[in-house]
Amino acid sequence: MTTQAPDGNPGRVNYDALPAINPELVGRTVVVTGAGRGMGALFLEELARRGVNGVGGDLDQEEMATVAEKINANLAGTSGAGRVVGVGADVTDPAAGDTLVATALREFGRLDLWVNNAGVFPQAEFTDITPQQLALTYGVNVNGVVYGGQAAARHFRTVGGGAIVNMASVAAVRARPTRATYNSSKAAVRHLTTCMAVELGPDNIRVNSIAPGYIDTEMTRWIREDRAAMDRALTTVPLRRIGAPMEVFGALYFLLSDSARYITGTSIPVDGGSQHV
Ligand SMILES: NC(=O)c1ccc[n+]([C@@H]2O[C@H](COP(=O)([O-])OP(=O)(O)OC[C@H]3O[C@@H](n4cnc5c(N)ncnc54)[C@H](O)[C@@H]3O)[C@@H](O)[C@H]2O)c1
């Protein structure tokens, strides 16, 4: 199985499928926020392909429902595949997490795994950062992780544990012009992850983050469409290519699986080595 590269892909992305299998995940249920497109949509589909039922939440309820239908249609002939449902869920709303938990329990009768994936990526010169940009970015990227994590943890406590993965970024450990809002929000996600892991560990709740570099999604379309920006970006990537969502999925699948059962509070970079440059 090979995931098709989106139109206009510069051909520098490896879209090959990943063969990893974690049989213990079959029959479990995941919530993925921001699953209406990009990595979140791919995570939902690839987990379902491997037998994990999923609830996807995104801002636009109709778009999310359409994506869920497409995923189910794509997997209709795949033996052992899970099923997904899509619901409207704005992660800046403290109540959204409870809706996602309730949906998982109603549709699948259990909830084991949670991915705080929703994110926004603003850019502005430091002196041009507006209160609205700050509020939106921290609201989605930081508060959204707190609220989602709270809903997940409250449920996981009642069932003896669970695994949470937060989407941080290589931006968490980097400083770049025009990125103060985004990078500081992702630094917060990275540290929140560790704080959550320390506090929730005694309840057998593992919390880790993933730190992607440049990944080929709508969020980074501007790089793909600007040859000079792409060349500049690639000078900071030792592997000299941008990553595919599937390559981030590899780390996610590992962190959610029992193979990672003694790993918590850490961040796995999936960045072609760019955090070192
Ligand atoms: N693409 C990259 O290069 C890259 C690199 C590092 C980290 N990340 C992080 O990975 C995650 C996924 O990124 P992506 O590239 O797939 O992004 P994307 O922009 O393609 O998708 C993000 C999704 O989040 C949703 N969303 C935004 N605000 C929301 C809200 N308030 N409530 C619910 N959903 C909301 C959007 O509707 C969208 O479907 C983000 O947290 C992002 O910051 C991306």
Side-chain angles (χ1 to χ4, degrees):
M1 191 274 304
T2 297
T3 306
Q4 291 300 310
D7 290 348
N9 185 278
R12 284 179 165 141
V13 185
N14 182 344
Y15 266 87
D16 290 352
L18 292 180
I21 291 168
N22 293 92
E24 81 283 0
L25 289 179
V26 172
R28 293 187 190 172
T29 303
V30 68
V31 162
V32 182
T33 67
R37 69 176 199 192
M39 286 192 260
L42 180 124
F43 295 164
L44 205 57
E45 177 158 359
E46 292 306 314
L47 285 165
R49 187 184 305 287
R50 291 158 177 82
V52 179
N53 293 312
V55 177
D58 209 295
L59 274 183
D60 184 338
Q61 180 167 1
E62 269 181 37
E63 178 61 23
M64 187 64 246
T66 305
V67 166
E69 270 171 36
K70 269 193 207 151
I71 292 174
N72 288 328
N74 288 348
L75 297 179
T78 304
S79 140
R83 183 169 65 86
V84 307
V85 296
V87 295
D90 177 349
V91 299
T92 65
D93 174 0
D98 293 330
T99 305
L100 292 165
V101 171
T103 305
L105 296 180
R106 188 185 64 239
E107 293 283 334
F108 305 115
R110 60 186 290 172
L111 174 60
D112 314 273
L113 315 164
W114 189 285
V115 185
N116 283 312
N117 167 77
V120 291
F121 177 55
Q123 300 189 57
E125 305 252 341
F126 181 71
T127 47
D128 292 338
I129 294 169
T130 61
Q132 291 78 8
Q133 185 191 89
L134 267 182
L136 176 70
T137 310
Y138 289 161
V140 177
N141 295 5
V142 183
N143 300 4
V145 170
V146 173
Y147 300 148
Q150 287 175 324
R154 280 193 292 263
H155 168 73
F156 290 157
R157 274 190 175 137
T158 68
V159 294
I164 299 173
V165 174
N166 299 326
M167 290 298 279
S169 169
V170 67
V173 295
R174 266 182 162 178
R176 291 284 187 274
T178 75
R179 308 277 173 82
T181 311
Y182 181 76
N183 289 23
S184 60
S185 76
K186 291 299 183 179
V189 172
R190 183 185 161 104
H191 195 58
L192 252 176
T193 300
T194 309
C195 295
M196 290 164 69
V198 166
E199 190 162 337
L200 300 174
D203 291 313
N204 192 33
I205 300 169
R206 297 186 300 105
V207 192
N208 291 290
S209 65
I210 296 178
Y214 291 110
I215 306 300
D216 194 18
T217 69
E218 280 301 308
M219 192 176 268
T220 50
R221 178 185 279 277
W222 59 279
I223 300 176
R224 207 161 69 219
E225 290 177 347
D226 177 345
R227 186 60 205 244
M230 172 68 89
D231 288 345
R232 266 198 314 278
L234 292 183
T235 61
T236 66
V237 184
L239 287 181
R240 291 291 185 268
R241 64 177 179 84
I242 60 175
M246 183 69 94
E247 293 170 318
V248 181
F249 174 72
L252 176 78
Y253 194 50
F254 167 68
L255 286 173
L256 292 177
S257 79
D258 291 355
S259 303
R261 67 189 177 203
Y262 202 53
I263 299 177
T264 195
T266 199
S267 179
I268 296 192
V270 184
D271 64 354
S274 64
Q275 87 272 20
H276 306 297
V277 178

